[in-house]
Amino acid sequence: MQPKIQQTINFIRNYYQTEDFIPLHAPVFNGNEKAYLNECIDSTFVSSVGKFVDEFELKLAEYIGVKKAVVCVNGTNAIHLCLKLVGVEAMDEVITQPLTFIATTNAITYANAIPVFVDVDKDSMGLSPKSMLDFLKRNTEIKNKTCYNKNTGRRIKACLPMHTFGHACRIDEIKQICDDYHIELVEDAAEAMGSKYKGQHLGSFGKLGAISFNGNKIMTTGGGGVIVTNDEALAKQAKHISTQAKTPHTWEYHHDEIGYNYRMPNLNAALGLAQLEQLDQFLESKRQLAKEYKTFFETHNIKTFEERTDEQSNYWLNAVILESLEERNLFLKEMNAAGVMTRPIWQLMTRLTMFQDCPKTSLKNAEYLEERVVNIPSSVK
């Protein structure tokens, strides 16, 4: 084993004070979780109706700084609903990035749309406004305030950037491009709860944003997600279609459009409310860990991924950038063999059979990061 890998293992074990298996990111339940869950069970309102759903939505909207929040079963269906709500239809194109978790592109296909992959920026790992603008200038035309891909004839209806590991992409520049080209902006902020860019919470720049509360996220509801927006009409529609599009009535069953069973249960919301109460503590702990990782890895000439100017990252998953694919693979092999969980960044979506024929730009930055980025243990201590 290389000395620097052994020293990394020793550092992480010392930080977490354990010789046991160290996961990539484990949830922490040190607050009112059990009390709220017991209260929820005692109320018998454990499904999608109950006081914890309402309170969780109100508190989330307040924390994120938006008018409305609509909680869902998971972050993937939150993205799906966002795309539906901004008018994405069958055979539309949606601009996104190839370096992302598959949920991003799966949600596009749930809407029967086609992803268009543009490159990322090396210093954000998120969708590159330069790559996006270059693609649009070369390949699109505007007709009746609608953007069309000249090569495919399809409408480009939306853009879906993802904030990787809680680090902000250049979302303000992306928003300006979307406005100029009449493209709807939806943010995949699945990993970005608590992250801000220029003082504004991620997920709140676009018309709609989606955040995940999966078990491995910075705060969790078990499974779960939320749609956030400043458009109250869209929020009302989101709640409606996420509840099977059932119209209100004391006893009658009437549904006025195709709906989805996407509403978060009261049990999950109870857990989430307790987690939200601790989020600032989680953020402080994770930022301290990122600082300690930076200091340690600098002594071994390994680069850690850091937030940029004007960004306040939640550091959901800390990442190191290694020199080559060979070094990355050795690091992964030795760390995992020692019981310290590490994971590579995702395989590019364009390498997957389902998406390999989709439109794309040059992806040199995404390919560079794919070969070098590794996530290391990032749990709250």
Side-chain angles (χ1 to χ4, degrees):
M1 181 180 293
Q2 288 187 355
K4 66 180 178 182
I5 297 179
Q6 184 62 62
Q7 290 163 11
T8 301
I9 293 167
N10 294 342
F11 173 83
I12 294 172
R13 289 205 174 281
N14 183 64
Y15 181 83
Y16 286 109
Q17 293 291 292
T18 183
E19 293 299 317
D20 296 334
F21 172 76
I22 299 176
L24 198 62
H25 197 286
V28 173
F29 304 115
N30 287 333
N32 290 313
E33 288 89 353
K34 290 181 180 179
Y36 290 169
L37 287 170
N38 284 334
E39 182 181 344
C40 183
I41 291 167
D42 290 342
S43 75
T44 74
F45 286 92
V46 296
S47 193
S48 58
V49 174
K51 80 165 198 174
F52 287 107
V53 170
D54 297 335
E55 187 172 355
F56 190 36
E57 288 181 335
L58 288 171
K59 294 291 186 181
L60 282 170
E62 180 182 356
Y63 190 96
I64 293 166
V66 292
K67 291 181 180 178
K68 291 292 181 179
V70 179
V71 288
C72 301
V73 176
N74 56 58
T76 309
N77 58 45
I79 300 170
H80 176 208
L81 286 189
C82 287
L83 295 172
K84 296 282 288 185
L85 289 162
V86 299
V88 173
E89 297 177 348
M91 299 308 293
D92 280 343
E93 293 183 351
V94 176
I95 294 173
T96 192
Q97 60 203 61
L99 193 65
T100 184
F101 183 56
I102 196 170
T104 308
T105 41
N106 276 347
I108 294 171
T109 62
Y110 298 163
N112 295 311
I114 297 164
V116 175
F117 296 106
V118 304
D119 206 1
V120 299
D121 287 327
K122 280 186 181 179
D123 63 350
S124 74
M125 296 184 285
L127 192 147
S128 168
K130 181 181 184 304
S131 180
M132 178 180 174
L133 185 58
D134 287 347
F135 172 82
L136 291 170
K137 284 180 175 178
R138 291 195 315 269
N139 298 289
T140 68
E141 59 183 351
I142 306 297
K143 295 188 292 187
N144 298 321
K145 295 186 176 181
T146 302
C147 185
Y148 289 93
N149 186 329
K150 292 187 293 186
N151 302 314
T152 65
R154 295 188 288 253
R155 178 175 69 164
I156 300 178
K157 181 60 180 177
C159 175
L160 182 62
M162 197 275 285
H163 301 293
T164 307
F165 308 144
H167 294 284
C169 60
R170 290 177 169 81
I171 192 63
D172 53 346
E173 296 179 39
I174 293 169
K175 183 179 187 304
Q176 185 60 60
I177 295 168
C178 287
D179 291 344
D180 292 343
Y181 279 81
H182 307 283
I183 295 169
E184 300 285 5
L185 175 59
V186 173
E187 286 175 81
D188 181 349
E191 302 172 354
M193 186 66 198
S195 294
K196 295 181 179 179
Y197 184 63
K198 297 184 177 179
Q200 185 174 338
H201 199 291
L202 299 181
S204 66
F205 287 80
K207 183 170 284 187
L208 295 155
I211 298 173
S212 171
F213 303 129
N214 189 36
N216 65 349
K217 294 301 188 291
I218 190 167
M219 57 169 280
T220 184
T221 59
V226 64
I227 296 168
V228 295
T229 184
N230 285 307
D231 189 316
E232 297 190 41
L234 283 181
K236 183 177 180 181
Q237 182 67 1
K239 183 164 279 195
H240 179 59
I241 63 174
S242 68
T243 317
Q244 301 285 25
K246 184 179 182 297
T247 57
H249 193 278
T250 306
W251 63 83
E252 292 286 0
Y253 290 96
H254 180 257
H255 308 263
D256 58 4
E257 61 179 298
I258 298 295
Y260 304 88
N261 186 17
Y262 281 0
R263 292 287 290 143
M264 177 183 285
N266 203 34
L267 273 170
N268 299 80
L271 184 63
L273 186 62
Q275 289 272 286
L276 183 60
E277 292 170 353
Q278 303 166 80
L279 179 56
D280 287 341
Q281 299 167 249
F282 295 166
L283 290 167
E284 183 178 347
S285 173
K286 291 176 76 61
R287 290 181 66 81
Q288 180 59 36
L289 173 58
K291 185 184 298 184
E292 294 194 29
Y293 270 142
K294 180 178 185 293
T295 300
F296 169 79
F297 281 111
E298 278 180 344
T299 66
H300 295 82
N301 296 315
I302 296 176
K303 180 177 173 54
T304 54
F305 203 87
E306 300 175 51
E307 64 187 7
R308 308 185 320 278
T309 304
D310 293 327
E311 180 187 0
Q312 185 177 341
S313 175
N314 65 9
Y315 282 102
W316 169 55
L317 287 183
N318 281 279
V320 293
I321 306 173
L322 300 172
E323 290 296 324
S324 66
L325 179 62
E326 292 74 24
E327 185 179 6
R328 185 205 77 162
N329 289 343
L330 179 62
F331 188 89
L332 288 165
K333 178 182 177 181
E334 299 290 354
M335 293 288 286
N336 283 290
V340 178
M341 188 175 181
T342 56
R343 287 290 183 268
I345 203 168
W346 313 281
Q347 186 178 34
L348 298 189
M349 295 297 101
T350 49
R351 300 194 195 282
L352 303 181
T353 303
M354 308 84 75
F355 307 118
Q356 63 186 6
D357 295 327
C358 294
K360 63 184 178 182
T361 68
S362 166
L363 304 176
K364 63 179 182 179
N365 290 341
E367 291 165 353
Y368 176 92
L369 293 167
E370 179 191 31
E371 292 187 350
R372 292 167 176 81
V373 174
V374 172
N375 291 126
I376 52 181
S378 302
S379 301
V380 169
K381 186 175 177 181

